[in-house]
Amino acid sequence: MANVDIRQEDLEVPLKRGRWLVVLKSPIFMVVPILLSILVYTQLPANVDYEPRATLAISTGAIALWVLEPIPFSMTAILILILLPVSGAVSMDLVLSGFASPAIFLILAGMMLACGLEQTSLGKRMAFQLLYWFGEKRGGILAGIILIPQIMAIFIPAAAVRTTMLLPIVFSVFSILGIEKGDVQGKKFMLGAAIGCNVSGTGILPAAIGNVVTVDLINYYLKQHITYMDWLILSLPLWLILIPVSWWVLNRTFPKEEKVPKGLKKEMKRLIVELGPITAQEKRTLLILTLVFVMWAMEDITGWPPVIPTFIGVILMATPGIKIANWEKLLDIKFGPLILLAVTLSLGRALFETGAIKHISQWLENDYTLYLFSQPALSVLTVAILTQLIHKVTSNVSTAVIATVPVVISLAQHAGQSSSPLLLGFTAGITCLFGFLFVVETIPNVMVQQTGWVTQRDFIKPGICLTIITTVLTYVLALTWWPWLGYL
């Protein structure tokens, strides 16, 4: 990419800044979860048996570690993997059961598929093409930045992967336009990247780990299966509305007039030409990705869960004669997210099998909560607000899902036939994607903030607006779309 200065240092965590504070906080943040675990274990009512007592204590400590983050998320997951069976709270088979979930293999296959896509110029070509079409229109650059991850979401699971692919493209735009740190347009475009990547997981089941965890929990707790098309149909209006709404909110909260960027279209055209004509490799990649998408959509007909089409796509990418990517490179993935996801699923099962969730729902159950959960539309609004509040203090989507979905399902079951446990579990799961207010709520927020182009303060105004809007939209769906589909 000639003349395009992609500042790689902007993608790295500013380690030196505040290092002394991290060193000071880490020991304290390790002690607090231990104290919380001890407090929960010793202060629970006497009628709570040992297994749920120990499971709740370990879960509390683990959630505190995920919130405070003195150690990596996956390291906390391995601690859970050790503590649950060693304490005698659950069997080793149950602790390892999460690793056998189709959800793990779906994310694994999706990451391999993304590795194959990254070995071609297809993703970059689509991004440049979008910016070519929209770039010189007023507000077009922001629209392009928000739309790019929406298209990526169809084929690339995990918002972190999409964010990693999007940021260099955003920095290319900055270099072309001469945007510097501190510029209002730079802040707006960076927040567009974070919000766009968060929203991009809404409608596509494999596009967010939180979605996969939610579906697994619903299947395990309720023995009800949500297909790819079920998720898409339920969430489609919310997803389609949030794309232009996100653009509108960012333009309203960063009202500085955006100059029409003359020359950007020409530069994008040059970069597209520099990539050359679409190659046979890219055409084969596009064909495979389309085939995978079609097979996902036909789950009701074929009976194949999404993991099977995804692995078919991976195999095709490395098949001699097609050969989009080397098999060894497809295996070059990070296993930290997989460990975190597997242990999160196991923890959800442990909470259910030991009866810990039953105790939690009984403690929360009173005339007021039963009333809220007995009113279909009101219960959706209650769950959306409750999930947003819990999500504000949890630093990853999987943690928020495991902290809300099981409890919501249990409360809905106790509320009687007027409340839909499946739909409320879905509401809690999808709301966990909408972390717009605080940096720590989602990985895309963290990745964008760590570039140094935006601060926590920059998230506040658009974050408040989008949090309110998503909550209201969810309630409107509960009054309209979901009853029309027969879910309420």
Side-chain angles (χ1 to χ4, degrees):
M1 268 184 226
N3 303 326
V4 178
D5 178 23
I6 299 177
R7 287 156 282 199
Q8 182 62 33
E9 66 271 14
D10 288 329
L11 292 174
E12 297 173 356
V13 182
L15 294 176
K16 293 182 180 179
R17 185 172 54 197
R19 182 175 288 172
W20 65 271
L21 187 59
V22 173
V23 172
L24 178 64
K25 291 194 313 188
S26 290
I28 298 173
F29 285 0
M30 282 298 294
V31 171
V32 169
I34 295 172
L35 294 177
L36 284 173
S37 292
I38 294 171
L39 184 65
V40 167
Y41 186 83
T42 56
Q43 297 302 312
L44 283 173
N47 66 334
V48 179
D49 294 333
Y50 172 75
E51 288 80 3
R53 182 185 296 270
T55 302
L56 284 171
I58 293 169
S59 300
T60 302
I63 289 173
L65 282 172
W66 278 326
V67 170
L68 300 175
E69 205 180 341
I71 58 176
F73 292 148
S74 54
M75 189 183 295
T76 299
I78 291 189
L79 278 176
I80 299 170
L81 197 67
I82 295 169
L83 291 174
L84 282 174
V86 167
S87 66
V90 298
S91 68
M92 194 66 191
D93 286 345
L94 182 57
V95 171
L96 295 176
S97 64
F99 287 86
S101 169
I104 296 297
F105 293 94
L106 174 58
I107 296 301
L108 172 63
M111 292 169 72
M112 294 174 73
L113 204 66
C115 282
L117 178 60
E118 286 176 346
Q119 291 177 50
T120 74
S121 299
L122 186 60
K124 193 181 296 183
R125 187 185 298 276
M126 289 191 295
F128 289 157
Q129 191 66 54
L130 273 176
L131 290 172
Y132 173 78
W133 287 331
F134 293 104
E136 291 194 355
K137 295 180 173 64
R138 192 169 298 278
I141 297 176
L142 180 61
I145 289 171
I146 291 173
L147 283 171
I148 288 168
Q150 313 309 316
I151 295 174
M152 289 181 175
I154 298 173
F155 310 114
I156 301 174
V161 178
R162 296 192 291 276
T163 310
T164 301
M165 296 178 69
L166 177 62
L167 284 177
I169 295 167
V170 176
F171 287 127
S172 296
V173 172
F174 288 169
S175 296
I176 293 166
L177 300 181
I179 296 174
E180 301 293 336
K181 281 186 181 179
D183 191 300
V184 172
Q185 284 193 53
K187 290 177 181 290
K188 179 163 67 175
F189 294 157
M190 271 295 176
L191 287 172
I195 291 169
C197 288
N198 289 334
V199 168
S200 66
T202 305
I204 306 296
L205 175 54
I209 292 177
N211 298 352
V212 178
V213 176
T214 300
V215 168
D216 187 271
L217 290 172
I218 288 173
N219 184 37
Y220 190 80
Y221 279 56
L222 300 175
K223 309 303 179 190
Q224 291 179 274
H225 179 57
I226 295 181
T227 68
Y228 181 96
M229 288 305 296
D230 289 336
W231 188 282
L232 179 61
I233 291 169
L234 281 168
S235 61
L236 186 61
L238 186 59
W239 186 26
L240 295 180
I241 293 169
L242 281 177
I243 296 170
V245 163
S246 300
W247 177 89
W248 179 81
V249 166
L250 284 170
N251 276 310
R252 295 290 294 179
T253 52
F254 291 90
K256 180 181 177 181
E257 177 124 7
E258 182 182 320
K259 295 179 181 178
V260 178
K262 298 296 183 184
L264 180 64
K265 187 170 184 176
K266 181 180 178 181
E267 185 63 21
M268 288 297 109
K269 182 66 174 177
R270 185 187 68 78
L271 291 172
I272 294 169
V273 170
E274 198 173 88
L275 290 175
I278 186 167
T279 65
Q281 182 194 40
E282 289 175 273
K283 289 178 181 177
R284 291 195 298 270
T285 303
L286 188 58
L287 186 62
I288 290 170
L289 294 176
T290 303
L291 177 64
V292 171
F293 175 75
V294 170
M295 287 191 290
W296 279 342
M298 293 176 64
E299 182 180 352
D300 283 331
I301 299 172
T302 63
W304 297 349
V307 64
I308 292 178
T310 313
F311 269 129
I312 290 174
V314 171
I315 293 294
L316 287 174
M317 281 186 165
T319 299
I322 299 176
K323 201 65 175 180
I324 290 166
N326 292 323
W327 181 253
E328 291 74 18
K329 289 185 178 180
L330 293 180
L331 294 174
D332 186 20
I333 58 175
K334 294 182 179 179
F335 284 91
L338 294 175
I339 293 171
L340 173 62
L341 174 57
V343 175
T344 302
L345 296 175
S346 294
L347 185 58
R349 296 174 183 190
L351 289 167
F352 179 76
E353 294 295 339
T354 60
I357 287 296
K358 182 179 179 181
H359 285 290
I360 293 173
S361 64
Q362 286 175 347
W363 298 328
L364 293 175
E365 190 177 314
N366 54 55
D367 291 342
Y368 183 63
T369 56
L370 287 177
Y371 170 75
L372 292 176
F373 276 78
S374 66
Q375 308 296 315
L378 185 58
S379 65
V380 170
L381 181 62
T382 301
V383 168
I385 294 173
L386 174 66
T387 304
Q388 282 288 358
L389 292 174
I390 293 174
H391 196 13
K392 296 295 172 277
V393 295
T394 54
S395 50
N396 73 76
V397 172
S398 295
T399 308
V401 170
I402 200 66
T404 53
V405 172
V407 176
V408 164
I409 289 174
S410 183
L411 284 172
Q413 287 175 317
H414 288 149
Q417 295 298 321
S418 57
S419 184
S420 169
L422 183 149
L423 190 58
L424 294 184
F426 168 83
T427 300
I430 202 167
T431 303
C432 287
L433 302 179
F434 304 141
F436 304 118
L437 186 57
F438 297 128
V439 170
V440 297
E441 287 185 78
T442 69
I443 298 300
N445 291 359
V446 173
M447 293 175 70
V448 166
Q449 187 268 342
Q450 286 177 352
T451 64
W453 282 73
V454 293
T455 65
Q456 171 59 65
R457 185 176 179 180
D458 296 319
F459 279 84
I460 298 299
K461 276 189 179 180
I464 291 173
C465 292
L466 285 170
T467 299
I468 294 172
I469 288 169
T470 52
T471 303
V472 171
L473 284 175
T474 303
Y475 181 59
V476 171
L477 287 181
L479 293 174
T480 56
W481 183 246
W482 294 338
W484 294 341
L485 294 175
Y487 282 93
L488 276 178

